[in-house]
Every structure is written in structure tokens, then in C-alpha cells.
Amino acid sequence: MTTTAAARTAATPTPATTAAPPARPSASTATTTDPTGARSAEAAGVITDARERIDALDDRILGLVQERMAVSAVVQKARIGSGGRRVHLSREMEILGRYRDALGRPGTSLAMTLLELCRGTV
């Protein structure tokens, strides 16, 4: 089977027919260029400022947790030194209730995490 040059030329796609049209950025692509996820410069500024404040608050919270751990170690050492147990369950229940009352159900989880961090290995 032989084909003519004209038939081969007609069957061969040209670059113009195979090239896809330039892609338009989708709405999600256009909005993800800002690290804040904001869609306006004003909102990005508000978010950036708020994130800086959150970071500063987190630094304070971490410092307070570390201070709480140190104070708890003093309490445990004194209790164990006097013949008591390392953990005082009724006190832990008070703390759980306090956090639950202030923060709702998630407060209980937060208090449990703090208690676990503060129990130490004295």
C-alpha cells in the first residue's frame, strides 16, 4: 500500500493543531499565591498581624506550661518526701473540672495533657 505525499502531509498534524491553548489560572491557583490564603491585600495584612500575635501568645503559653511543670515537680517532691504519692487524684479532678468549666469539653482534654506533662518522673 503506497500513499502519496499529499495524503501523508494531510494526515500529519501540524504544531498549530496539536498545541493546547494556554491554560488560564484557576480560581484556586490564583488565591494560593499568598501564604495567608487571603484574597485581598487588606485581609492578608490583618491575618499576618494576627498570626504574629498568636505566635507571641504561644510563646507565653509555652513558657507558662514550662513554669507549671517546674512548680509541679516541687509539689511532687515535697509530697513524696513526706511519704505521700506522686499523684494526688482528688487535686487532678479539681483541675479537670476547672478547665472543663472554663473551656467546655475540650478543656478536659487540655487539662489532661497538662497533667500528663506535669506529672514528671520525680
Side-chain angles (χ1 to χ4, degrees):
M1 173 168 158
T2 60
T3 56
T4 65
R8 280 193 305 267
T9 303
T12 306
T14 62
T17 59
T18 58
R24 289 182 33 198
S26 67
S28 62
T29 304
T31 60
T32 57
T33 57
D34 185 277
T36 65
R39 294 185 179 200
S40 72
E42 181 182 354
V46 169
I47 292 167
T48 298
D49 292 345
R51 284 181 177 174
E52 288 174 5
R53 185 159 182 230
I54 287 171
D55 290 344
L57 289 167
D58 284 344
D59 289 342
R60 288 172 47 198
I61 291 167
L62 291 169
L64 290 170
V65 169
Q66 290 169 336
E67 182 178 352
R68 189 188 194 290
M69 291 168 67
V71 172
S72 291
V74 170
V75 170
Q76 290 173 31
K77 187 174 182 176
R79 189 180 307 117
I80 292 169
S82 71
R85 299 179 64 163
R86 182 171 60 90
V87 176
H88 191 238
L89 294 177
S90 64
R91 172 65 176 152
E92 288 196 357
M93 293 307 293
E94 284 178 36
I95 294 166
L96 290 170
R98 183 174 172 196
Y99 276 75
R100 182 192 60 246
D101 291 347
L103 302 173
R105 220 170 133 185
T108 304
S109 297
L110 177 60
M112 287 296 295
T113 300
L114 280 171
L115 291 170
E116 183 179 350
L117 285 168
C118 294
R119 283 185 190 125
T121 56
V122 175

